Amino acid sequence: MFIPTRAAGLDALHEFVPRAGADYRRDRNHDLGPARTNVSGLSPYIRHRLVTEQEVVDAVLDRHSLHAAEKFVQEVFWRTYWKGWLEQRPEVWRRYRTDVGDLLGGDLPDGYEDAVAGRTGIDAMDAWVRELVDTGYLHNHVRMWFASIWVFTLGLPWQLGADFFLRHLLDGDAASNTLSWRWVAGLQTRGKTYLATADNIARYTDGRFSPTGLATRAVALDEDPFPPAVPIPDDDDPAAIGPRAGLLLHDEDLEPVSLLAPLGGSVPALAATAVVGAAAARSPAGASTLVEEFTAGALDDAASRALDADGRAAEVLDPSDVAAVVDWATSERLDTVVVPYAPVGPAEERLDALRSALAETDTGLVVVRRPWDSRAWPFASRGFFPFKERIPGLVRGR
């Protein structure tokens, strides 16, 4: 269903744009099965930034007014909002990672194995498990129903459900996935839960499913408090980029041209380029074959487009070996490695280790954050609705 190239993502965008206005607003919540035309299907491309949020919004607003395409534009900004919120509360991600490790490393709760194998006896749930495993994708409305049934009907830990999604969703990322599961469970917006009902499922699946035996109450989960929010880090200074710089792309951001364009003359002709990514870092249990293959294909596609000054394609480096990146920088005699900003998640964890390793060889690491993120993330300090009020201004700044 999803070809892991920038060209395929741009084709999907071009095909969807005419439907991004009234059609999307009317039909977006319906899920009639895997052959969908009522949603864009762009999320796997946006998640890896094979296609950027800026490109998507620009293309839609070149065809529709913001009023007409408001619902779709808001969906694009939901992903941005989640990332900005988590940037200011990284401990939420760290605690989730610890919880998943502890749960997977101990005795798994009753019902978990049946749930992930599609053997719950709830026809809708079991069909969605098969669709997720077979395609790497679920409609957003289905994701909400799934999480609600997982938590409130099956009584399973939300962390294990979020981990199951993260291992199988092509578009799975730390912020959107973790925080959406927390929202359903009543943790993200304290006390506000989401309850899946048979009537709602039947309505929006056109009667394909009308499950029985679902929970009739959704009592919010509870947790220990987190530390106060922290400021979003400042951008690195482009002036720190030395005369012999190399570009290192990672699986959170695989579009080099628009990444570097705002820096203008701050970036010299690239002496070398490389790409690195680790789908397996999503979970202690790794990632599905589909996710591994999509990520590998996206890295190969980016490598073919990220050319250095001599026209060489980028090297694809071993993501599990920080020394491999250091060796690449050393062999290319780089004084600086330029890298896209990695939001809170597995890629950020790898960059923290890389920065220290490069410093030992007197090689600088300069992180480039896109203007899209720098403009929007500071407004993600509270709930989505105050953030939503900022969207027209953020769009005007495109």
Side-chain angles (χ1 to χ4, degrees):
M1 292 178 63
F2 299 98
I3 300 169
T5 65
R6 173 168 166 79
L10 291 174
D11 286 346
L13 173 60
H14 177 75
E15 182 179 344
F16 174 72
V17 160
R19 305 193 302 274
D23 291 345
Y24 179 82
R25 183 175 62 250
R26 182 187 63 240
D27 298 332
R28 64 193 178 95
N29 285 328
H30 293 266
D31 183 60
L32 306 183
R36 300 179 182 92
T37 58
N38 60 321
V39 293
S40 72
L42 289 169
S43 55
Y45 302 103
I46 297 173
R47 182 260 180 267
H48 296 281
R49 277 185 167 158
L50 288 168
V51 179
T52 69
E53 297 92 333
Q54 186 79 67
E55 289 177 295
V56 171
V57 169
D58 284 351
V60 167
L61 295 184
D62 283 346
R63 175 70 177 261
H64 306 275
S65 69
L66 178 57
H67 174 74
E70 179 183 32
K71 290 298 183 183
F72 180 74
V73 171
Q74 285 177 6
E75 285 302 316
V76 177
F77 272 98
W78 261 109
R79 182 172 291 264
T80 301
Y81 166 76
W82 286 135
K83 287 183 180 295
W85 192 96
L86 195 60
E87 284 298 303
Q88 298 172 73
R89 298 165 183 84
E91 190 60 32
V92 172
W93 167 253
R94 295 181 191 126
R95 187 184 295 180
Y96 158 77
R97 292 280 267 184
T98 300
D99 289 347
V100 169
D102 292 344
L103 287 163
L104 290 178
D107 294 330
L108 292 170
D110 292 342
Y112 171 79
E113 295 288 3
D114 285 337
V116 299
R119 297 192 302 261
T120 66
I122 302 172
D123 59 351
M125 193 74 167
D126 295 342
W128 296 331
V129 167
R130 291 191 295 271
E131 182 181 347
L132 173 60
V133 171
D134 290 346
T135 70
Y137 185 86
L138 287 176
H139 186 284
N140 185 60
H141 210 164
V142 171
R143 299 183 198 200
M144 295 166 61
W145 294 327
F146 188 112
S148 180
I149 295 170
W150 179 283
V151 173
F152 300 118
T153 298
L154 301 180
L156 293 170
W158 74 267
Q159 297 94 328
L160 288 181
D163 175 71
F164 181 58
F165 268 20
L166 197 55
R167 286 188 280 123
H168 287 278
L169 285 170
L170 300 180
D171 61 22
D173 70 55
S176 296
N177 188 66
T178 307
L179 303 183
S180 294
W181 274 83
R182 286 174 52 81
W183 181 81
V184 167
L187 298 170
Q188 190 63 23
T189 301
R190 300 290 292 179
K192 181 178 176 59
T193 57
Y194 177 78
L195 180 66
T197 67
D199 287 347
N200 189 258
I201 293 170
R203 175 186 176 188
Y204 286 103
T205 62
D206 199 22
R208 289 191 306 132
F209 301 113
S210 183
T212 59
L214 301 187
T216 58
R217 296 177 64 239
V219 178
L221 304 186
D222 201 4
E223 64 186 351
D224 293 334
F226 286 96
V230 298
I232 293 171
D234 292 335
D235 294 349
D236 282 353
D237 185 356
I241 300 174
R244 188 166 178 83
L247 174 66
L248 176 67
L249 298 177
H250 52 69
D251 49 337
E252 293 283 343
D253 196 321
L254 295 172
E255 210 303 277
V257 175
S258 60
L259 175 74
L260 298 179
L263 301 182
S266 300
V267 180
L270 294 171
T273 56
V275 297
V276 65
R282 293 185 178 196
S283 165
S288 72
T289 299
L290 281 179
V291 170
E292 291 273 13
E293 290 176 347
F294 187 92
T295 304
L299 293 171
D300 287 342
D301 176 68
S304 71
R305 293 181 287 104
L307 307 181
D308 67 13
D310 294 326
R312 295 183 300 165
E315 293 187 45
V316 181
L317 303 176
D318 182 353
S320 64
D321 186 4
V322 170
V325 181
V326 176
D327 289 346
W328 163 75
T330 302
S331 66
E332 296 288 351
R333 297 177 290 109
L334 303 180
D335 54 42
T336 315
V337 173
V338 179
V339 64
Y341 189 97
V344 169
E348 178 218 21
E349 295 163 359
R350 298 196 306 271
L351 282 189
D352 285 346
L354 178 60
R355 186 185 294 274
S356 298
L358 287 172
E360 294 179 3
T361 66
D362 294 324
T363 306
L365 183 71
V366 173
V367 175
V368 177
R369 188 163 64 215
R370 291 179 180 270
W372 175 278
D373 298 330
S374 293
R375 288 196 305 266
W377 284 356
F379 298 116
S381 57
R382 297 187 291 150
F384 180 74
F385 291 101
F387 178 84
K388 183 175 71 172
E389 297 302 315
R390 298 283 184 171
I391 290 177
L394 292 170
V395 166
R396 286 194 295 271
R398 63 189 174 118

